[in-house]
Amino acid sequence: MALASCAPGDDRPFNATEEARRAADAAQQTATSETDAIATEAEVDAWTKGAMVAAADPRAVEAGLEMLRQGGSAIDAAIAVHAVLGLVEPQSSGIGGGAFMVYYDRDADEITVFDGREVAPASTTPNHFMKGGKPLGFLEAWQSGKAVGVPGQIALYKTSHEAAGKLDWATLFQPAIKLAEDGFEVSPRLAGLLANPRLRGAVRLDDLPASADYFYPNGEPLPVGFIRTNPDYAATLSAIAESGPSAFYEGEIAQAIVDAVNSDANPGAMNLEDLADYSVKIRPALCGDRADGYRICSAPPPSSGGVTQNMIMGLYDLLEPTEEADMTEENYLKAFIDAQRLAYADRDHYVADSDFVTVPATDLINPAYLRVRAKEAFAPDATTHPGDPGLALGRDPVRPLWGEDATEHGPGTTHISIVDADGNAVSMTATVEAAFGSSIMVKGFMLNNELTDFSRQPAKGTKPVANAPGPKKRPRSSMSPTLVFDPAGDLFMVTGSPGGNSIVAYVSKTLVGVLEWGKSAQEAIDLPNIIARGDTVGVEIDRPGGMEAADALRELGYNVEEREGENSGLHVIIVREDGLEGGADPRREGIAKALE
Ligand code: GLY
């Protein structure tokens, strides 16, 4: 039956642990025989799987591959890819936004998270989005100078490059500079968004002079195939290439950002000090060990990645059918949905900037808590609510500390997955929040509107909301750049996606698809998206298997919301025995391409 596309593939029996064991055994055998012959440690350790870049646009992927060809690292490639995406995919991310990068250094066997999330200006108060005792309407808040956070992307480029870049800094920007000077061909997706009346009604792109001139010359949206030059972006990148981040965070560009934010019709209050003070946080990855020996590592708070991906996979293990008679496709799907509902409810309540509030991140993924939480799986028609990891682990309750969250996330985001020729990996999700961010264009790039990723309502009754705005605080993110390691401790998978709130569901679909259901990278991406947050289950019905899944879930009693035109942008790389396997989301314009 068609639902089979959503559940464990009976045509491809899969035992992840077994496969990894075989791989480990094979590696061990090779190592042993090589050791017996002549081997040096370097030979045993040599990476033989190749290199690959997966991202949202072929021109960006090519820029990354070019860096790898020149001997660059995964981080060099990621910077070059992203600088091009800021030009050809300005709706999703750019240097006026921020990102989380999860980086695996194979030699050191270390995972580092570079948190380049946007930061609220120092003048921000919890009531930042309140007016007359009520939160500003979403669109009013969303399309404003008030929503612009201090961009973190350029600082992330620099900090990660200092950590593990191999190529000269200026080299990384050359593909983007050339493309901005020569002009790039407007893609169908970009043209479609610019012409979309609903989007035009919601954002100010054709009202604000800089973005209107750039995207709507003569009042008409850029058509598919139009060759668009962006000399301002070329000049901005050239200055950064020459002088480093100070060209962005100080001087003329910084002043232009501050002026644009503060002169907006609904102004922010950013100053030059806010920009000069920006710094990337280097954080340990939040990792969880699965019963089958696989390890899932993603970004810690303020990202939701580490908490939600580990919660969903841990809960899935506890909720999946164990009795032969129950092992139906519907029940596997039910386990995935219930795991999502539980994890989303906890994420919404607890995850925020852990530099400002206590986030029980490790408790939330503790197997002892997950065992308690799994028993709370909601009836399909029940209202979801957060669990209490404090109580469950025999300590003081933590749930009453926070009021009910009211955060809404927008979908302007992109994801890059890279494995380099030494087996190092980057999983980076980058964003400007809404499509085209705040619509404010400065010096050839879009400014984010990331501060609406805070809960606009800062308190519920007398209780503060964990993700309330605050000075120098980072808004919670759904971005889940993720790496998976096999039971032998070797890199197995690089995954991530854009998609606002739904990112959590999209990324977990690839984890459950590959680790539990035996799918290839592309098969897992192609599965219909199913988003189980709150009291409804969104099902993507315009993909094969989607309508069947919607019908089956309705039958089980879920409140199904049929969805079309889903916005995931999954880019996945899997390390297989015989090399790298890539997958790119057909819902966007990206590709996964190996280095030849
Ligand atoms: N702005 C999307 C996110 O950070 O989740």
Side-chain angles (χ1 to χ4, degrees):
M1 110 187 218
L3 231 197
S5 63
C6 297
D10 45 10
D11 52 334
R12 290 170 49 109
F14 181 79
N15 180 328
T17 314
E18 194 46 43
E19 185 184 75
R21 263 194 216 109
R22 280 202 306 272
D25 287 346
Q28 183 65 41
Q29 269 172 17
T30 313
T32 309
S33 56
E34 280 180 2
T35 310
D36 286 344
I38 23 156
T40 64
E41 203 174 311
E43 281 168 329
V44 173
D45 275 341
W47 176 256
T48 56
K49 309 280 187 178
M52 187 176 274
V53 178
D57 188 285
R59 294 159 290 191
V61 169
E62 195 43 53
L65 290 171
E66 180 51 30
M67 296 302 116
L68 297 179
R69 254 176 237 121
Q70 291 181 29
S73 68
I75 283 179
D76 293 322
I79 295 168
V81 168
H82 188 259
V84 171
L85 287 177
L87 177 70
V88 300
E89 198 202 25
Q91 66 270 27
S92 296
S93 75
I95 62 174
F100 291 97
M101 176 195 276
V102 183
Y103 171 62
Y104 172 58
D105 180 325
R106 183 168 177 268
D107 250 2
D109 196 23
E110 264 172 22
I111 307 161
T112 307
V113 178
F114 298 98
D115 170 349
R117 185 68 165 163
E118 296 89 335
V119 172
S123 58
T124 307
T125 68
N127 288 325
H128 189 69
F129 290 116
M130 297 293 280
K131 195 166 144 190
K134 286 197 187 134
L136 286 179
F138 186 58
L139 280 186
E140 199 186 343
W142 209 46
Q143 291 296 302
S144 72
K146 253 181 145 35
V148 180
V150 180
Q153 193 71 57
I154 293 294
L156 183 150
Y157 287 175
K158 189 64 179 175
T159 309
S160 61
H161 182 253
E162 279 171 359
K166 282 162 75 179
L167 297 179
D168 177 57
W169 167 255
T171 303
L172 314 177
F173 299 94
Q174 298 316 310
I177 292 170
K178 180 162 173 28
L179 203 52
E181 282 170 348
D182 294 352
F184 69 94
E185 213 176 296
V186 171
S187 76
R189 189 159 191 276
L190 174 55
L193 285 168
L194 293 173
N196 183 318
R198 261 189 71 212
L199 187 88
R200 289 179 80 169
V203 305
R204 305 175 294 172
L205 220 49
D206 50 0
D207 298 331
L208 301 181
S211 55
D213 283 355
Y214 183 74
F215 292 112
Y216 298 90
N218 308 314
E220 294 301 318
L222 295 174
V224 180
F226 185 92
I227 304 298
R228 172 83 264 183
T229 56
N230 189 341
D232 290 346
Y233 188 62
T236 296
L237 287 188
S238 298
I240 293 164
E242 198 180 312
S243 309
S246 62
F248 184 89
Y249 290 100
E250 296 165 24
E252 198 188 319
I253 297 174
Q255 188 65 57
I257 294 172
V258 165
D259 290 347
V261 167
N262 297 347
S263 65
D264 190 83
N266 188 359
M270 192 181 283
N271 60 33
L272 287 174
E273 217 177 326
D274 290 319
L275 280 147
D277 277 358
Y278 186 88
S279 70
V280 168
K281 302 269 177 173
I282 297 183
R283 305 186 190 274
L286 186 59
C287 298
D289 291 311
R290 283 166 49 79
D292 63 9
Y294 280 73
R295 187 168 170 77
I296 296 171
C297 295
S298 190
S303 157
S304 306
V307 166
T308 56
Q309 299 309 318
N310 280 295
M311 278 196 79
I312 291 172
M313 293 305 286
L315 289 164
Y316 177 88
D317 279 345
L318 296 163
L319 294 168
E320 69 178 343
T322 50
E323 300 294 327
E324 187 85 32
D326 296 332
M327 292 182 183
T328 61
E329 289 159 0
E330 287 81 359
N331 282 340
Y332 284 105
L333 202 50
K334 180 172 167 35
F336 179 44
I337 282 158
D338 290 346
Q340 277 193 45
R341 296 180 84 201
L342 292 159
Y344 264 118
D346 282 3
R347 182 300 286 263
D348 289 353
H349 195 67
Y350 294 109
V351 176
D353 187 343
S354 54
D355 293 339
F356 288 76
V357 299
T358 304
V359 183
T362 50
D363 288 350
L364 286 166
I365 67 169
N366 183 328
Y369 171 62
L370 295 180
R371 281 193 291 277
V372 174
R373 187 70 171 137
K375 294 198 181 105
E376 294 170 352
F378 314 107
D381 58 352
T383 298
T384 63
H385 55 77
D388 193 324
L391 270 186
L393 297 172
R395 300 198 297 265
D396 289 341
V398 291
R399 181 174 153 184
L401 293 176
W402 305 113
E404 193 186 321
D405 176 75
T407 310
E408 295 173 70
H409 288 267
T413 305
T414 200
H415 181 79
I416 299 166
S417 292
I418 299 178
V419 175
D420 71 20
D422 295 318
N424 308 308
V426 160
S427 185
M428 179 166 88
T429 315
T431 185
V432 284
E433 165 57 4
F436 305 97
S438 60
S439 303
I440 303 172
M441 192 171 200
V442 174
K443 303 269 183 195
F445 60 88
M446 304 308 301
L447 285 179
N448 70 83
N449 56 347
E450 213 67 53
L451 301 190
T452 47
D453 273 359
F454 283 122
S455 178
R456 275 168 292 137
Q457 178 126 24
K460 186 83 185 207
T462 56
K463 293 220 172 101
V465 172
N467 186 36
K472 297 196 170 227
K473 198 173 171 187
R474 295 171 189 226
R476 183 181 77 207
S477 172
S478 294
M479 296 193 288
S480 304
T482 299
L483 300 175
V484 181
F485 296 86
D486 69 19
D490 294 326
L491 179 71
F492 175 69
M493 185 170 170
V494 187
T495 184
S497 180
N501 261 319
S502 304
I503 290 173
V504 167
Y506 297 156
V507 176
S508 64
K509 178 188 74 171
T510 62
L511 296 179
V512 83
V514 171
L515 294 173
E516 294 286 346
W517 299 344
K519 307 288 182 192
S520 68
Q522 195 61 53
E523 286 167 345
I525 291 169
D526 290 347
L527 290 172
N529 285 317
I530 300 184
I531 305 104
R533 178 176 185 235
D535 302 338
T536 57
V537 181
V539 181
E540 185 184 27
I541 55 161
D542 53 349
R543 305 285 310 172
M547 194 48 108
E548 289 82 354
D551 288 341
L553 292 172
R554 252 189 300 264
E555 189 82 2
L556 287 171
Y558 290 101
N559 180 11
V560 170
E561 181 200 338
E562 295 184 359
R563 290 165 65 145
E564 292 183 72
E566 274 292 303
N567 206 12
S568 57
L570 289 152
H571 294 113
V572 177
I573 301 174
I574 299 179
V575 184
R576 300 289 189 192
E577 268 180 64
D578 54 354
L580 301 177
E581 175 196 300
D585 203 320
R587 300 164 187 86
R588 296 209 182 197
E589 295 173 326
I591 56 167
K593 194 169 171 192
L595 181 67
E596 278 159 19

